[in-house]
């Protein structure tokens, strides 16, 4: 399942920075630096600076950079190995969006305008707000359901409730369905519950059949609610290499290794901005954030603590950054530092290192 790593594309860093992955950062730093060679896909000096900056971030565990399907930088800085499943936190929402797109392609769901109330009828609160009948699949994916949050200060009460779906549906409306973005993991969990009901099987089973098996990756079981519904917006487990493979699926328009897994139309829909985060200011589509860096569109999945998947189609870039999933104390600045690694380091390295024939600036 892993992407190839041909010698001519190997990233070699100057000075005391070694490129080989090792069991521990100390051992990696102790290795002698290999002779410098020319890199076609990324500027070596710029990437040397990126890796040095990455090593200085105590919460960053792994960094993988691929260009046009070739892994050009692959660093386990600390923590679990690159093939070991880790908690990708709210990047789970992006994977869930892919499952919904496949469900629509296969007719399991009728489309993003399908109402979710009939699928969740047994959990609708008695005498509930009539606007519950107006919530659509697309509203859940873009965080525009209108329901009050279950994240932040409301998270503990929600996940300790006896029925997560019922609790999320009973939240008071803070806006109309289709209105502003209200980031809430409970909204994503409603999507997992609706998908489970429509498909007649678990979200994990769908992830296995529709993503893990065709991509050749592992997605082990993750947390479920008291009714057995797999958590729809958090705690999914994927290795850094598996997350890279998932990002490549999107970069390649839904077809990988000659197999169509996801429709190109769904990717375009997912990357279309529909609302905007009130905190970060980033645009948000169906499970994907979008921004611009260096004049290029960047689409990204974002999990708590700094679980990041970046796709930059115009530069053929796919980047994975895995961090401590539960930093104590909470490190708000860390995610900004990860964006800076991409915006100020990796993207310029790709622009400067682009082969002349590629047509990149």
């Amino acid at each position: 399942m892993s992407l190839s790593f041909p010698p001519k594309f190997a990233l070699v860093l100057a000075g005391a920075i070694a490129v080989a992955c090792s069991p521990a950062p100390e051992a990696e730093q102790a290795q002698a630096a290999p002779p410098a060679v020319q890199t076609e896909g990324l500027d070596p000096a710029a990437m040397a600076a990126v890796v040095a900056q990455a090593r200085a971030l105590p919460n960053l565990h792994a960094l993988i950079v691929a260009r046009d399907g070739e892994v050009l930088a692959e660093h386990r800085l600390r923590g679990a190995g690159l093939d070991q499943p880790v908690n990708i936190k709210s990047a789970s929402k992006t994977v869930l969006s892919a499952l919904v797109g496949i469900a629509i392609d296969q007719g399991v769901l009728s489309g993003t305008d399908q109402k979710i109330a009939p699928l969740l009828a047994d959990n609708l609160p008695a005498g509930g707000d009539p606007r519950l009948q107006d919530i659509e699949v697309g509203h859940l994916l873009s965080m525009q359901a209108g329901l009050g949050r279950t994240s932040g200060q409301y998270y503990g009460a929600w996940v300790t409730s006896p029925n997560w779906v019922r609790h999320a549906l009973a939240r008071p409306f803070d806006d109309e369905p289709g209105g502003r973005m209200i980031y809430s993991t409970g909204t994503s969990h409603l999507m997992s519950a609706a998908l489970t009901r429509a498909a007649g099987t678990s979200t994990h089973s769908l992830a296995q059949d529709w993503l893990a098996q065709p991509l050749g990756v592992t997605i082990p079981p993750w947390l479920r609610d008291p009714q057995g519904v797999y958590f729809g917006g958090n705690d999914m487990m994927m290795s850094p290499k598996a997350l890279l493979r998932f990002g490549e699926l999107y970069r390649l328009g839904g077809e990988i290794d000659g197999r169509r897994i996801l429709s190109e139309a769904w990717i375009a829909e997912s990357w279309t901005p529909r609302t905007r985060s009130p905190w970060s200011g980033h645009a948000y589509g169906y499970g994907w954030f979008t921004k611009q860096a260096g004049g290029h569109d960047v689409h990204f999945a974002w999990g708590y603590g700094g679980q990041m998947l970046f796709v930059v189609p115009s530069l053929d870039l796919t980047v994975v950054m895995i961090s401590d999933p539960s930093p104590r104390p909470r490190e708000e600045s860390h995610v900004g530092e990860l964006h800076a690694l991409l915006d100020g380091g990796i993207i310029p390295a790709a622009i400067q290192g682009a082969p002349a024939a590629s047509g990149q600036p």
Side-chain angles (χ1 to χ4, degrees), residues 16-348:
I17 301 174
V19 298
C21 293
S22 63
E26 294 81 4
E28 185 175 10
Q29 292 168 354
Q31 295 176 357
V37 297
Q38 184 61 43
T39 298
E40 280 191 62
L42 296 171
D43 178 76
M47 279 305 300
V50 167
V51 177
Q53 292 166 20
R55 289 213 177 101
L57 299 178
N59 287 347
L60 183 58
H61 289 186
L63 170 67
I64 308 178
V65 182
R67 187 163 201 194
D68 198 20
E70 304 292 344
V71 173
L72 303 181
E74 188 176 62
H75 298 274
R76 173 197 172 235
L77 306 173
R78 53 191 64 83
L82 300 180
D83 284 311
Q84 183 175 335
V86 295
N87 191 339
I88 63 171
K89 306 301 282 188
S90 284
S92 306
K93 296 174 172 69
T94 310
V95 180
L96 178 66
S97 173
L99 296 178
V100 172
I102 298 171
I104 291 172
D105 291 341
Q106 296 193 6
V108 174
L109 295 170
S110 62
T112 55
D113 59 352
Q114 181 174 348
K115 310 293 187 187
I116 61 124
L119 293 171
L120 304 177
D122 54 346
N123 281 306
L124 292 174
D129 194 303
R131 288 175 289 185
L132 289 169
Q133 303 296 325
D134 298 327
I135 299 174
E136 301 174 355
V137 165
H139 297 151
L140 299 183
L141 294 175
S142 62
M143 296 290 174
Q144 293 176 284
L147 291 166
R149 302 179 69 213
T150 59
S151 296
Q153 68 266 41
Y154 307 105
Y155 186 81
W158 174 53
V159 296
T160 56
S161 70
N163 187 314
W164 296 5
V165 173
R166 189 168 297 166
H167 185 103
L169 289 169
R171 296 291 297 154
F173 276 81
D174 286 344
D175 202 348
E176 301 299 315
R180 62 186 171 86
M181 181 182 187
I182 302 173
Y183 189 91
S184 175
T185 299
T187 295
S188 294
H189 192 62
L190 293 179
M191 189 68 255
S192 181
L195 181 59
T196 298
R197 180 62 59 87
T201 190
S202 74
T203 304
H204 176 252
S205 177
L206 297 176
Q208 286 288 96
D209 293 345
W210 290 351
L211 287 176
Q213 187 276 326
L215 288 175
V217 304
T218 298
I219 303 179
W222 64 96
L223 183 66
R224 292 184 286 175
D225 73 9
Q227 285 66 49
V229 175
Y230 278 89
F231 207 165
N234 199 0
D235 289 346
M236 189 178 288
M237 305 289 289
M238 294 179 73
S239 72
K241 288 185 177 180
L243 195 58
L244 183 78
R245 180 79 166 167
F246 175 76
E248 280 290 284
L249 173 66
Y250 272 77
R251 184 186 69 81
L252 293 169
E255 184 175 347
I256 196 166
D257 296 338
R259 179 172 181 177
R260 170 65 61 186
I261 298 173
L262 190 62
S263 71
E264 195 167 8
W266 180 253
I267 294 173
E269 285 287 300
S270 301
W271 285 350
T272 299
R274 300 172 189 283
T275 185
R276 191 169 295 275
S277 168
W279 293 287
S280 70
H282 297 310
Y284 195 67
Y286 289 155
W288 287 87
F289 291 93
T290 293
K291 68 173 187 175
Q292 275 220 336
H296 297 269
D297 286 335
V298 179
H299 309 286
F300 62 99
W302 177 3
Y304 176 78
Q307 322 314 317
M308 313 298 295
L309 168 63
F310 297 101
V311 180
V312 191
S314 59
L315 291 174
D316 297 319
L317 277 178
T318 306
V319 178
V320 169
M321 300 180 190
I322 296 295
S323 304
D324 180 352
S326 301
R328 296 289 186 271
R330 181 171 178 149
E331 291 280 354
E332 295 289 358
S333 64
H334 178 67
V335 172
E337 291 166 334
L338 299 184
H339 279 274
L341 278 182
L342 181 83
D343 300 358
I346 297 171
I347 286 179

